[in-house]
Amino acid sequence: MAMRREVGLIGLTFVAVSGIIGSGWLFAPLLTAQLAGPAALLAWVLGAVAMLLLALTFAEVSGLLPVAGGIARVPQFSHGNTVAMIMGWTAWAGYNTAAPIEVQAMLTYLQPYAPWLHQGAADGPLSWAGVAVAAALLVLFVIINFYGVRFFAYVNSTITWAKIGVPLLTAGLLISSRFDADNLTNPASGGFAPYGMEGVLAAVSTGGVVFSLIGFRHAIDMAGETRNPRVIVPAALILSLVICVLIYGALQLAFIGGVPASELAGGWHALDLSHDLGPLGALATAAGMLWLVSLLNASAVISPFGGGLVAVGSNARLALAMARNGFFPKLLRAVSVRGVPVSALLLNLVVSALVLVFVPFDEAVALNSAAIVLSFAVGPIAVVALRRLMPDAPRGFRLPFVTTFAALAFIVTTLVIYWTGWTTIQRLLWVLLVGFVWFGVRQVLAERQTLHLRQALWLLPWLVGLGLISWLGNFGGGLGILPFGWDLIACAALALVVFAMAIRVTLSQADFNREIRAAADEEGVQTH
Protein backbone atom coordinates (compact mmCIF):
# COMPACT_ATOMS: atom_id res chain seq x y z
CA MET A 1 0.00 0.00 0.00
CA ALA A 2 1.31 3.47 -0.93
CA MET A 3 1.86 6.26 1.55
CA ARG A 4 -0.64 9.11 1.57
CA ARG A 5 0.29 12.51 0.16
CA GLU A 6 -1.49 14.65 2.75
CA VAL A 7 1.10 17.15 3.98
CA GLY A 8 0.82 20.71 2.70
CA LEU A 9 3.25 23.62 2.68
CA ILE A 10 2.73 24.74 6.28
CA GLY A 11 2.83 21.17 7.59
CA LEU A 12 6.11 20.33 5.82
CA THR A 13 7.68 23.71 6.64
CA PHE A 14 6.87 23.18 10.30
CA VAL A 15 8.36 19.68 10.22
CA ALA A 16 11.66 21.31 9.24
CA VAL A 17 11.24 24.21 11.69
CA SER A 18 10.59 21.76 14.52
CA GLY A 19 13.82 19.98 13.64
CA ILE A 20 15.81 23.23 13.63
CA ILE A 21 14.43 24.87 16.79
CA GLY A 22 14.98 22.61 19.76
CA SER A 23 15.68 23.55 23.37
CA GLY A 24 19.18 24.57 22.24
CA TRP A 25 17.91 28.05 21.30
CA LEU A 26 18.06 28.91 25.00
CA PHE A 27 21.86 28.46 25.02
CA ALA A 28 23.05 29.18 21.45
CA PRO A 29 23.27 33.01 21.86
CA LEU A 30 25.78 32.67 24.71
CA LEU A 31 27.94 30.02 23.03
CA THR A 32 28.27 31.99 19.80
CA ALA A 33 28.88 35.31 21.60
CA GLN A 34 31.67 33.76 23.67
CA LEU A 35 33.42 32.71 20.47
CA ALA A 36 32.76 35.71 18.22
CA GLY A 37 31.45 38.57 20.36
CA PRO A 38 28.86 40.75 18.58
CA ALA A 39 30.12 39.29 15.28
CA ALA A 40 28.09 36.22 16.24
CA LEU A 41 25.41 37.95 14.16
CA LEU A 42 27.66 37.49 11.14
CA ALA A 43 28.17 33.82 12.11
CA TRP A 44 24.43 33.20 11.79
CA VAL A 45 24.42 34.84 8.35
CA LEU A 46 27.35 32.70 7.15
CA GLY A 47 25.79 29.57 8.63
CA ALA A 48 22.50 30.36 6.93
CA VAL A 49 24.19 30.81 3.55
CA ALA A 50 26.04 27.50 3.96
CA MET A 51 22.93 25.57 4.97
CA LEU A 52 20.79 27.25 2.30
CA LEU A 53 23.33 26.17 -0.30
CA LEU A 54 23.04 22.59 0.94
CA ALA A 55 19.25 22.77 1.23
CA LEU A 56 18.90 23.99 -2.36
CA THR A 57 20.52 20.82 -3.69
CA PHE A 58 17.97 18.78 -1.71
CA ALA A 59 15.20 21.11 -2.87
CA GLU A 60 15.72 20.03 -6.49
CA VAL A 61 16.37 16.35 -5.70
CA SER A 62 13.49 15.86 -3.24
CA GLY A 63 11.06 17.72 -5.48
CA LEU A 64 12.13 15.58 -8.45
CA LEU A 65 12.00 12.27 -6.55
CA PRO A 66 9.62 12.77 -3.61
CA VAL A 67 10.17 9.46 -1.84
CA ALA A 68 9.86 8.48 1.81
CA GLY A 69 13.20 8.53 3.62
CA GLY A 70 14.84 10.51 0.85
CA ILE A 71 18.28 10.67 2.47
CA ALA A 72 18.46 6.87 2.22
CA ARG A 73 16.46 6.40 -0.97
CA VAL A 74 17.82 9.00 -3.37
CA PRO A 75 21.41 7.64 -3.48
CA GLN A 76 19.94 4.27 -4.49
CA PHE A 77 18.81 5.95 -7.72
CA SER A 78 22.00 7.91 -8.37
CA HIS A 79 24.81 5.62 -7.10
CA GLY A 80 23.28 2.26 -6.20
CA ASN A 81 22.92 0.15 -3.09
CA THR A 82 26.36 0.46 -1.45
CA VAL A 83 26.26 4.26 -1.25
CA ALA A 84 22.58 4.14 -0.25
CA MET A 85 23.42 1.67 2.51
CA ILE A 86 26.12 3.90 3.96
CA MET A 87 24.04 7.08 3.84
CA GLY A 88 20.86 5.45 5.08
CA TRP A 89 22.51 3.40 7.81
CA THR A 90 24.36 6.33 9.35
CA ALA A 91 21.28 8.56 9.25
CA TRP A 92 19.12 5.81 10.78
CA ALA A 93 21.63 5.17 13.57
CA GLY A 94 21.74 8.89 14.35
CA TYR A 95 17.96 9.30 14.28
CA ASN A 96 17.53 6.47 16.78
CA THR A 97 19.44 8.55 19.32
CA ALA A 98 17.46 11.74 18.55
CA ALA A 99 14.20 10.87 20.33
CA PRO A 100 15.95 9.59 23.50
CA ILE A 101 18.05 12.79 23.58
CA GLU A 102 14.97 15.00 23.25
CA VAL A 103 13.09 13.03 25.91
CA GLN A 104 15.96 13.32 28.37
CA ALA A 105 16.17 17.07 27.65
CA MET A 106 12.47 17.38 28.52
CA LEU A 107 12.94 15.55 31.80
CA THR A 108 15.94 17.71 32.68
CA TYR A 109 13.79 20.83 32.55
CA LEU A 110 11.04 19.08 34.54
CA GLN A 111 13.45 18.04 37.30
CA PRO A 112 12.79 21.09 39.57
CA TYR A 113 9.12 20.09 39.64
CA ALA A 114 9.67 16.32 39.71
CA PRO A 115 13.06 15.59 41.34
CA TRP A 116 12.22 11.88 41.44
CA LEU A 117 12.92 11.73 37.67
CA HIS A 118 16.69 11.77 38.28
CA GLN A 119 19.23 10.25 40.58
CA GLY A 120 20.40 13.42 42.31
CA ALA A 121 20.82 16.60 40.23
CA ALA A 122 19.07 17.31 36.94
CA ASP A 123 22.24 16.51 35.01
CA GLY A 124 22.53 13.13 36.71
CA PRO A 125 21.27 9.84 35.26
CA LEU A 126 17.56 9.09 35.12
CA SER A 127 16.02 7.15 37.98
CA TRP A 128 14.07 4.02 37.11
CA ALA A 129 10.90 6.09 37.43
CA GLY A 130 12.45 8.62 35.06
CA VAL A 131 13.29 5.84 32.60
CA ALA A 132 9.67 4.68 32.75
CA VAL A 133 8.39 8.20 32.00
CA ALA A 134 10.90 8.58 29.17
CA ALA A 135 9.86 5.24 27.67
CA ALA A 136 6.21 6.29 27.90
CA LEU A 137 7.02 9.46 25.95
CA LEU A 138 8.73 7.39 23.24
CA VAL A 139 5.56 5.27 23.02
CA LEU A 140 3.47 8.44 22.79
CA PHE A 141 5.56 9.63 19.82
CA VAL A 142 4.86 6.31 18.10
CA ILE A 143 1.12 6.51 18.82
CA ILE A 144 0.85 10.01 17.36
CA ASN A 145 2.69 8.86 14.24
CA PHE A 146 0.53 5.70 14.06
CA TYR A 147 -2.62 7.72 13.36
CA GLY A 148 -1.30 8.98 10.06
CA VAL A 149 0.73 11.78 8.60
CA ARG A 150 -2.17 14.26 8.64
CA PHE A 151 -2.66 13.86 12.40
CA PHE A 152 1.11 13.93 12.95
CA ALA A 153 1.42 17.16 10.94
CA TYR A 154 -1.48 18.73 12.89
CA VAL A 155 0.07 17.94 16.28
CA ASN A 156 3.52 19.06 15.16
CA SER A 157 2.20 22.30 13.64
CA THR A 158 0.38 23.15 16.87
CA ILE A 159 3.59 22.62 18.86
CA THR A 160 5.68 24.53 16.32
CA TRP A 161 3.56 27.66 16.57
CA ALA A 162 4.61 27.79 20.24
CA LYS A 163 8.24 27.03 19.29
CA ILE A 164 8.19 30.04 16.97
CA GLY A 165 6.17 32.37 19.19
CA VAL A 166 8.08 32.06 22.46
CA PRO A 167 11.56 32.80 21.03
CA LEU A 168 10.21 35.78 19.05
CA LEU A 169 8.37 37.10 22.12
CA THR A 170 11.52 36.66 24.21
CA ALA A 171 13.67 38.51 21.70
CA GLY A 172 11.14 41.33 21.33
CA LEU A 173 10.76 41.86 25.09
CA LEU A 174 14.50 41.83 25.76
CA ILE A 175 15.22 44.24 22.89
CA SER A 176 12.48 46.64 23.99
CA SER A 177 13.36 46.53 27.70
CA ARG A 178 17.14 46.34 28.04
CA PHE A 179 18.88 46.74 24.67
CA ASP A 180 22.20 48.62 24.82
CA ALA A 181 23.52 49.38 21.33
CA ASP A 182 26.96 50.20 22.76
CA ASN A 183 27.51 46.46 23.36
CA LEU A 184 27.78 45.99 19.60
CA THR A 185 30.88 48.15 19.20
CA ASN A 186 32.23 48.86 22.70
CA PRO A 187 36.07 49.11 22.40
CA ALA A 188 36.48 48.01 26.03
CA SER A 189 35.19 44.53 25.12
CA GLY A 190 37.00 44.38 21.78
CA GLY A 191 34.56 46.07 19.42
CA PHE A 192 32.26 44.29 16.96
CA ALA A 193 34.62 41.42 16.10
CA PRO A 194 36.97 41.01 19.08
CA TYR A 195 38.28 37.63 17.88
CA GLY A 196 38.37 38.35 14.16
CA MET A 197 37.23 36.08 11.38
CA GLU A 198 38.63 33.05 13.19
CA GLY A 199 36.15 33.69 16.00
CA VAL A 200 33.28 33.99 13.51
CA LEU A 201 34.21 30.70 11.84
CA ALA A 202 34.57 29.04 15.24
CA ALA A 203 31.02 30.19 16.11
CA VAL A 204 29.74 28.76 12.84
CA SER A 205 31.49 25.44 13.39
CA THR A 206 31.61 24.72 17.13
CA GLY A 207 29.22 27.36 18.46
CA GLY A 208 26.16 25.47 17.34
CA VAL A 209 25.18 27.57 14.31
CA VAL A 210 25.49 24.84 11.69
CA PHE A 211 24.25 22.08 13.96
CA SER A 212 21.15 24.10 14.83
CA LEU A 213 20.23 24.89 11.23
CA ILE A 214 20.90 21.39 9.87
CA GLY A 215 17.56 20.19 11.24
CA PHE A 216 15.86 21.06 7.93
CA ARG A 217 16.63 17.44 6.95
CA HIS A 218 13.31 16.15 8.34
CA ALA A 219 11.39 17.73 5.46
CA ILE A 220 13.42 15.60 3.04
CA ASP A 221 12.34 12.38 4.76
CA MET A 222 8.66 13.42 4.61
CA ALA A 223 8.74 14.36 0.92
CA GLY A 224 7.00 11.11 -0.03
CA GLU A 225 3.83 12.24 1.79
CA THR A 226 3.65 15.77 0.42
CA ARG A 227 1.01 17.17 -1.90
CA ASN A 228 2.42 18.73 -5.08
CA PRO A 229 5.98 17.89 -3.94
CA ARG A 230 7.75 19.60 -6.85
CA VAL A 231 6.56 22.94 -5.47
CA ILE A 232 6.02 22.30 -1.77
CA VAL A 233 9.28 20.49 -0.93
CA PRO A 234 11.62 23.21 -2.26
CA ALA A 235 9.43 25.95 -0.76
CA ALA A 236 9.33 24.26 2.66
CA LEU A 237 13.11 23.76 2.78
CA ILE A 238 13.81 27.39 1.93
CA LEU A 239 11.03 28.85 4.11
CA SER A 240 12.06 26.84 7.16
CA LEU A 241 15.64 28.09 6.97
CA VAL A 242 14.57 31.70 6.45
CA ILE A 243 12.13 31.56 9.40
CA CYS A 244 14.65 29.95 11.74
CA VAL A 245 17.56 32.22 10.81
CA LEU A 246 15.37 35.24 11.54
CA ILE A 247 14.45 33.75 14.92
CA TYR A 248 18.03 32.87 15.86
CA GLY A 249 19.26 36.25 14.61
CA ALA A 250 16.68 38.12 16.70
CA LEU A 251 17.62 36.11 19.79
CA GLN A 252 21.33 36.76 19.17
CA LEU A 253 20.75 40.50 18.79
CA ALA A 254 18.60 40.59 21.93
CA PHE A 255 21.24 38.74 23.91
CA ILE A 256 24.19 40.86 22.74
CA GLY A 257 22.33 44.08 23.49
CA GLY A 258 20.94 42.79 26.78
CA VAL A 259 24.17 41.74 28.48
CA PRO A 260 25.00 44.14 31.36
CA ALA A 261 28.19 46.10 30.67
CA SER A 262 29.62 44.90 33.99
CA GLU A 263 29.54 41.31 32.71
CA LEU A 264 31.85 42.23 29.82
CA ALA A 265 34.78 43.43 31.91
CA GLY A 266 36.74 40.28 31.08
CA GLY A 267 35.67 40.24 27.43
CA TRP A 268 33.12 38.11 25.61
CA HIS A 269 35.21 34.96 26.08
CA ALA A 270 34.78 35.21 29.85
CA LEU A 271 31.04 35.90 29.75
CA ASP A 272 29.07 33.61 32.09
CA LEU A 273 25.38 34.11 32.80
CA SER A 274 24.41 31.12 34.91
CA HIS A 275 20.77 30.07 34.96
CA ASP A 276 18.90 26.78 34.67
CA LEU A 277 17.29 28.12 31.48
CA GLY A 278 20.52 29.49 30.07
CA PRO A 279 21.56 33.07 29.35
CA LEU A 280 18.14 34.19 28.13
CA GLY A 281 16.64 33.02 31.40
CA ALA A 282 19.30 35.00 33.26
CA LEU A 283 18.50 38.17 31.31
CA ALA A 284 14.76 37.73 31.84
CA THR A 285 15.36 37.27 35.58
CA ALA A 286 17.57 40.38 35.71
CA ALA A 287 14.81 42.35 33.96
CA GLY A 288 12.30 41.19 36.59
CA MET A 289 10.17 39.33 34.04
CA LEU A 290 9.60 36.21 36.11
CA TRP A 291 6.52 35.34 34.07
CA LEU A 292 8.79 35.17 31.02
CA VAL A 293 11.09 32.80 32.91
CA SER A 294 8.09 30.52 33.51
CA LEU A 295 7.21 30.72 29.83
CA LEU A 296 10.79 29.85 28.89
CA ASN A 297 10.64 26.83 31.16
CA ALA A 298 7.42 25.63 29.51
CA SER A 299 8.95 26.13 26.07
CA ALA A 300 12.06 24.22 27.15
CA VAL A 301 9.80 21.21 27.70
CA ILE A 302 7.59 21.70 24.63
CA SER A 303 10.45 22.23 22.15
CA PRO A 304 12.13 18.84 22.71
CA PHE A 305 8.72 17.15 22.56
CA GLY A 306 8.27 18.49 19.03
CA GLY A 307 11.82 17.51 18.11
CA GLY A 308 11.33 13.97 19.37
CA LEU A 309 8.01 13.61 17.57
CA VAL A 310 9.52 14.68 14.25
CA ALA A 311 12.60 12.47 14.72
CA VAL A 312 10.41 9.39 15.27
CA GLY A 313 8.38 10.14 12.15
CA SER A 314 11.46 10.76 10.00
CA ASN A 315 13.23 7.68 11.26
CA ALA A 316 10.31 5.44 10.39
CA ARG A 317 10.55 6.69 6.79
CA LEU A 318 14.29 5.99 6.81
CA ALA A 319 13.78 2.40 7.95
CA LEU A 320 11.08 1.98 5.28
CA ALA A 321 13.44 3.37 2.63
CA MET A 322 16.24 1.00 3.62
CA ALA A 323 13.84 -1.94 3.48
CA ARG A 324 12.89 -0.88 -0.04
CA ASN A 325 16.61 -0.67 -0.84
CA GLY A 326 16.99 -4.28 0.37
CA PHE A 327 19.13 -3.39 3.39
CA PHE A 328 16.42 -4.16 5.97
CA PRO A 329 13.99 -7.14 5.90
CA LYS A 330 10.94 -7.04 3.62
CA LEU A 331 8.66 -6.94 6.68
CA LEU A 332 9.61 -3.29 7.17
CA ARG A 333 8.23 -2.37 3.75
CA ALA A 334 4.68 -2.76 5.05
CA VAL A 335 2.49 0.36 5.16
CA SER A 336 -0.79 0.46 7.11
CA VAL A 337 -4.18 1.54 5.77
CA ARG A 338 -3.39 4.97 7.24
CA GLY A 339 -0.27 5.15 5.08
CA VAL A 340 2.09 4.64 8.02
CA PRO A 341 5.14 2.28 8.16
CA VAL A 342 4.04 0.69 11.43
CA SER A 343 6.64 -2.11 11.44
CA ALA A 344 9.39 0.47 11.03
CA LEU A 345 7.92 2.55 13.87
CA LEU A 346 7.95 -0.46 16.18
CA LEU A 347 11.51 -1.48 15.27
CA ASN A 348 12.74 2.04 15.94
CA LEU A 349 10.84 2.16 19.24
CA VAL A 350 12.74 -0.91 20.47
CA VAL A 351 16.10 0.46 19.32
CA SER A 352 15.44 3.91 20.83
CA ALA A 353 14.40 2.33 24.14
CA LEU A 354 17.68 0.39 24.21
CA VAL A 355 19.59 3.61 23.54
CA LEU A 356 17.68 5.31 26.35
CA VAL A 357 18.58 2.61 28.88
CA PHE A 358 22.10 1.61 27.87
CA VAL A 359 23.75 4.60 26.13
CA PRO A 360 24.87 7.54 28.33
CA PHE A 361 23.42 10.91 27.33
CA ASP A 362 26.76 12.44 26.25
CA GLU A 363 27.58 9.39 24.13
CA ALA A 364 24.14 9.54 22.49
CA VAL A 365 24.62 13.22 21.61
CA ALA A 366 28.05 12.53 20.09
CA LEU A 367 26.73 9.56 18.08
CA ASN A 368 23.79 11.63 16.86
CA SER A 369 26.06 14.31 15.43
CA ALA A 370 28.50 11.86 13.92
CA ALA A 371 25.96 9.60 12.27
CA ILE A 372 23.63 12.16 10.72
CA VAL A 373 26.07 14.60 9.13
CA LEU A 374 27.57 12.02 6.76
CA SER A 375 24.24 11.52 5.02
CA PHE A 376 24.22 15.11 3.78
CA ALA A 377 26.64 14.17 1.01
CA VAL A 378 23.57 12.82 -0.81
CA GLY A 379 22.19 16.16 -1.99
CA PRO A 380 25.15 17.82 -3.75
CA ILE A 381 26.18 14.64 -5.58
CA ALA A 382 22.70 13.40 -6.48
CA VAL A 383 21.55 16.73 -7.89
CA VAL A 384 24.31 16.61 -10.56
CA ALA A 385 23.89 12.88 -11.17
CA LEU A 386 20.14 13.21 -11.73
CA ARG A 387 20.63 16.05 -14.19
CA ARG A 388 22.42 13.48 -16.36
CA LEU A 389 20.10 10.56 -15.66
CA MET A 390 16.81 12.52 -15.85
CA PRO A 391 17.63 15.50 -18.10
CA ASP A 392 14.08 16.08 -19.34
CA ALA A 393 12.09 15.38 -16.17
CA PRO A 394 10.03 18.38 -14.96
CA ARG A 395 11.51 20.13 -11.94
CA GLY A 396 9.60 22.45 -9.64
CA PHE A 397 12.90 24.02 -8.63
CA ARG A 398 16.04 24.01 -10.76
CA LEU A 399 19.34 24.90 -9.12
CA PRO A 400 21.25 27.36 -11.34
CA PHE A 401 24.93 26.70 -12.14
CA VAL A 402 24.29 23.28 -10.71
CA THR A 403 27.82 21.85 -10.77
CA THR A 404 29.35 24.93 -9.16
CA PHE A 405 26.76 25.23 -6.43
CA ALA A 406 26.75 21.48 -5.81
CA ALA A 407 30.55 21.47 -5.44
CA LEU A 408 30.34 24.30 -2.91
CA ALA A 409 27.61 22.43 -1.04
CA PHE A 410 29.79 19.31 -0.91
CA ILE A 411 32.59 21.41 0.58
CA VAL A 412 30.10 22.57 3.23
CA THR A 413 29.17 18.95 3.96
CA THR A 414 32.83 17.98 4.33
CA LEU A 415 33.49 20.90 6.67
CA VAL A 416 30.44 20.09 8.80
CA ILE A 417 31.70 16.54 9.29
CA TYR A 418 35.23 17.80 10.05
CA TRP A 419 33.87 20.25 12.63
CA THR A 420 32.31 17.41 14.63
CA GLY A 421 35.88 16.58 15.70
CA TRP A 422 38.22 13.61 15.67
CA THR A 423 36.62 11.92 18.67
CA THR A 424 33.22 12.02 17.01
CA ILE A 425 34.55 10.90 13.63
CA GLN A 426 36.02 7.83 15.31
CA ARG A 427 32.52 6.95 16.51
CA LEU A 428 31.25 7.50 12.99
CA LEU A 429 33.77 4.97 11.66
CA TRP A 430 32.57 2.38 14.20
CA VAL A 431 28.96 3.00 13.14
CA LEU A 432 29.98 2.45 9.52
CA LEU A 433 31.79 -0.78 10.42
CA VAL A 434 28.66 -2.19 12.06
CA GLY A 435 26.67 -1.23 8.96
CA PHE A 436 29.11 -3.03 6.66
CA VAL A 437 28.90 -6.16 8.80
CA TRP A 438 25.10 -6.13 8.62
CA PHE A 439 25.23 -5.49 4.87
CA GLY A 440 27.47 -8.57 4.51
CA VAL A 441 25.10 -10.68 6.60
CA ARG A 442 22.18 -9.61 4.40
CA GLN A 443 24.15 -10.50 1.28
CA VAL A 444 24.96 -14.00 2.55
CA LEU A 445 21.75 -14.98 4.33
CA ALA A 446 18.96 -12.96 2.77
CA GLU A 447 18.54 -10.76 -0.31
CA ARG A 448 21.69 -11.09 -2.37
CA GLN A 449 22.06 -8.00 -4.53
CA THR A 450 24.32 -6.83 -7.29
CA LEU A 451 26.80 -4.59 -5.47
CA HIS A 452 27.41 -1.19 -7.04
CA LEU A 453 30.99 -1.01 -5.78
CA ARG A 454 32.40 1.13 -8.57
CA GLN A 455 29.80 3.79 -7.81
CA ALA A 456 30.95 3.79 -4.16
CA LEU A 457 34.71 4.09 -4.75
CA TRP A 458 34.72 7.84 -4.04
CA LEU A 459 33.71 7.14 -0.43
CA LEU A 460 37.07 5.53 0.40
CA PRO A 461 39.34 8.56 -0.24
CA TRP A 462 36.72 10.87 1.24
CA LEU A 463 36.41 9.00 4.55
CA VAL A 464 40.15 8.26 4.82
CA GLY A 465 41.04 11.84 3.96
CA LEU A 466 38.51 13.24 6.41
CA GLY A 467 39.81 10.96 9.13
CA LEU A 468 43.43 11.99 8.51
CA ILE A 469 42.68 15.74 8.42
CA SER A 470 40.54 15.41 11.54
CA TRP A 471 43.26 13.49 13.39
CA LEU A 472 45.82 16.18 12.53
CA GLY A 473 43.38 19.07 12.96
CA ASN A 474 42.07 21.32 15.71
CA PHE A 475 38.59 20.03 16.51
CA GLY A 476 37.39 17.51 19.08
CA GLY A 477 40.52 15.62 20.09
CA GLY A 478 42.67 16.34 17.02
CA LEU A 479 46.44 16.66 17.46
CA GLY A 480 46.43 20.32 16.43
CA ILE A 481 49.35 19.77 14.01
CA LEU A 482 47.46 21.20 11.02
CA PRO A 483 47.06 24.96 11.67
CA PHE A 484 43.62 26.54 11.68
CA GLY A 485 42.85 27.82 8.20
CA TRP A 486 45.06 25.27 6.50
CA ASP A 487 42.81 22.52 7.83
CA LEU A 488 39.80 24.19 6.18
CA ILE A 489 41.74 24.51 2.91
CA ALA A 490 42.67 20.82 3.10
CA CYS A 491 39.00 19.87 3.62
CA ALA A 492 37.93 22.02 0.67
CA ALA A 493 40.59 20.52 -1.61
CA LEU A 494 39.65 16.99 -0.56
CA ALA A 495 35.97 17.74 -1.17
CA LEU A 496 36.57 19.08 -4.69
CA VAL A 497 38.63 16.06 -5.74
CA VAL A 498 36.13 13.57 -4.31
CA PHE A 499 33.16 15.47 -5.76
CA ALA A 500 34.70 15.22 -9.22
CA MET A 501 35.13 11.46 -8.70
CA ALA A 502 31.60 10.94 -7.41
CA ILE A 503 29.75 12.63 -10.26
CA ARG A 504 31.68 10.53 -12.79
CA VAL A 505 30.60 7.16 -11.37
CA THR A 506 26.82 7.39 -11.33
CA LEU A 507 24.63 4.40 -12.18
CA SER A 508 24.30 3.44 -15.82
CA GLN A 509 21.12 4.59 -17.52
CA ALA A 510 19.86 0.98 -17.64
CA ASP A 511 20.41 0.43 -13.90
CA PHE A 512 18.80 3.77 -13.13
CA ASN A 513 15.75 2.97 -15.24
CA ARG A 514 15.40 -0.33 -13.42
CA GLU A 515 15.53 1.37 -10.01
CA ILE A 516 13.10 4.08 -10.99
CA ARG A 517 10.57 1.57 -12.38
CA ALA A 518 10.69 -0.37 -9.13
CA ALA A 519 10.10 2.85 -7.19
CA ALA A 520 7.20 3.80 -9.43
CA ASP A 521 5.55 0.42 -8.79
CA GLU A 522 6.06 0.53 -5.02
CA GLU A 523 5.88 4.24 -4.17
CA GLY A 524 4.03 5.89 -7.02
CA VAL A 525 7.01 8.04 -8.02
CA GLN A 526 6.24 10.07 -11.13
CA THR A 527 9.15 11.30 -13.22
CA HIS A 528 7.37 12.74 -16.25
Side-chain angles (χ1 to χ4, degrees):
M1 182 173 294
M3 305 185 79
R4 297 183 178 181
R5 296 193 179 275
E6 297 181 331
V7 181
L9 177 59
I10 292 178
L12 192 65
T13 300
F14 277 16
V15 164
V17 169
S18 192
I20 296 172
I21 301 179
S23 58
W25 67 267
L26 293 164
F27 298 90
L30 173 62
L31 296 176
T32 50
Q34 286 173 331
L35 292 167
L41 292 167
L42 180 57
W44 285 105
V45 173
L46 290 178
V49 170
M51 287 299 99
L52 183 60
L53 187 65
L54 190 55
L56 288 176
T57 66
F58 282 102
E60 178 173 330
V61 169
S62 298
L64 179 65
L65 293 174
V67 291
I71 285 179
R73 199 78 170 105
V74 167
Q76 181 80 15
F77 303 132
S78 65
H79 284 78
N81 52 27
T82 302
V83 174
M85 179 278 291
I86 292 171
M87 299 304 174
W89 169 258
T90 53
W92 180 79
Y95 278 26
N96 270 309
T97 65
I101 289 169
E102 299 288 11
V103 164
Q104 290 186 71
M106 290 175 61
L107 300 189
T108 297
Y109 291 114
L110 287 173
Q111 202 269 349
Y113 311 100
W116 48 270
L117 292 170
H118 293 83
Q119 301 175 31
D123 58 354
L126 293 175
S127 65
W128 282 111
V131 170
V133 172
L137 287 168
L138 293 177
V139 172
L140 179 59
F141 294 152
V142 170
I143 291 173
I144 293 173
N145 275 277
F146 172 81
Y147 280 99
V149 71
R150 179 181 292 180
F151 181 64
F152 158 84
Y154 173 78
V155 173
N156 179 66
S157 295
T158 303
I159 294 170
T160 306
W161 280 117
K163 294 175 71 170
I164 292 174
V166 174
L168 286 177
L169 177 64
T170 301
L173 289 172
L174 291 177
I175 289 173
S176 63
S177 66
R178 54 181 299 120
F179 187 79
D180 184 356
D182 288 342
N183 284 358
L184 291 169
T185 56
N186 191 343
S189 55
F192 178 73
Y195 312 114
M197 197 61 192
E198 184 172 339
V200 173
L201 292 176
V204 172
S205 58
T206 61
V209 172
V210 162
F211 293 102
S212 295
L213 299 179
I214 212 165
F216 71 82
R217 64 185 181 269
H218 294 295
I220 301 164
D221 297 317
M222 293 284 182
E225 294 150 281
T226 305
R227 298 192 298 269
N228 193 12
R230 289 196 179 102
V231 175
I232 287 179
V233 173
L237 288 170
I238 296 168
L239 273 175
S240 62
L241 276 171
V242 170
I243 290 169
C244 293
V245 168
L246 290 175
I247 291 172
Y248 277 113
L251 288 168
Q252 190 71 60
L253 182 64
F255 175 74
I256 290 171
V259 174
S262 58
E263 296 287 342
L264 296 175
W268 290 93
H269 265 329
L271 183 61
D272 181 20
L273 295 176
S274 300
H275 194 280
D276 288 343
L277 293 172
L280 297 175
L283 293 182
T285 301
M289 293 184 284
L290 299 183
W291 66 270
L292 180 57
V293 175
S294 298
L295 186 61
L296 289 174
N297 191 76
S299 179
V301 175
I302 292 171
S303 292
F305 184 94
L309 177 64
V310 168
V312 167
S314 291
N315 203 26
R317 276 70 185 175
L318 272 175
L320 172 69
M322 287 193 292
R324 287 173 170 172
N325 289 345
F327 185 68
F328 278 173
K330 289 182 178 180
L331 173 66
L332 298 179
R333 299 180 187 179
V335 176
S336 72
V337 293
R338 299 177 186 272
V340 177
V342 176
S343 299
L345 277 172
L346 295 177
L347 169 68
N348 295 341
L349 174 62
V350 172
V351 176
S352 294
L354 292 174
V355 170
L356 178 70
V357 175
F358 294 109
V359 180
F361 182 77
D362 292 344
E363 292 289 326
V365 170
L367 178 60
N368 179 271
S369 298
I372 289 175
V373 290
L374 180 74
S375 61
F376 278 82
V378 172
I381 291 172
V383 71
V384 177
L386 293 174
R387 284 285 183 94
R388 296 177 180 179
L389 294 167
M390 304 175 67
D392 301 321
R395 288 163 166 82
F397 170 79
R398 193 175 184 90
L399 184 65
F401 307 105
V402 63
T403 303
T404 300
F405 279 122
L408 291 173
F410 193 71
I411 291 173
V412 169
T413 303
T414 304
L415 287 171
V416 170
I417 298 171
Y418 170 66
W419 288 332
T420 64
W422 170 238
T423 302
T424 303
I425 287 176
Q426 289 181 82
R427 293 188 179 93
L428 174 60
L429 296 176
W430 282 110
V431 169
L432 286 173
L433 179 61
V434 173
F436 278 119
V437 171
W438 173 251
F439 194 35
V441 170
R442 292 284 297 167
Q443 283 290 111
V444 173
L445 301 180
E447 299 180 44
R448 183 176 295 276
Q449 304 178 60
T450 300
L451 299 181
H452 298 111
L453 295 178
R454 177 177 173 271
Q455 286 74 22
L457 285 177
W458 59 273
L459 285 167
L460 184 60
W462 189 47
L463 294 173
V464 171
L466 258 174
L468 180 60
I469 296 171
S470 180
W471 179 53
L472 297 174
N474 301 277
F475 293 88
L479 297 176
I481 295 174
L482 195 59
F484 182 83
W486 287 104
D487 55 349
L488 305 185
I489 292 172
C491 284
L494 172 68
L496 287 175
V497 171
V498 171
F499 177 79
M501 291 177 59
I503 62 175
R504 289 178 181 272
V505 291
T506 58
L507 284 181
S508 68
Q509 193 68 50
D511 284 342
F512 168 77
N513 291 341
R514 190 178 304 111
E515 294 288 347
I516 212 71
R517 282 195 299 269
D521 292 340
E522 190 165 21
E523 303 176 52
V525 175
Q526 300 296 321
T527 60
H528 298 289

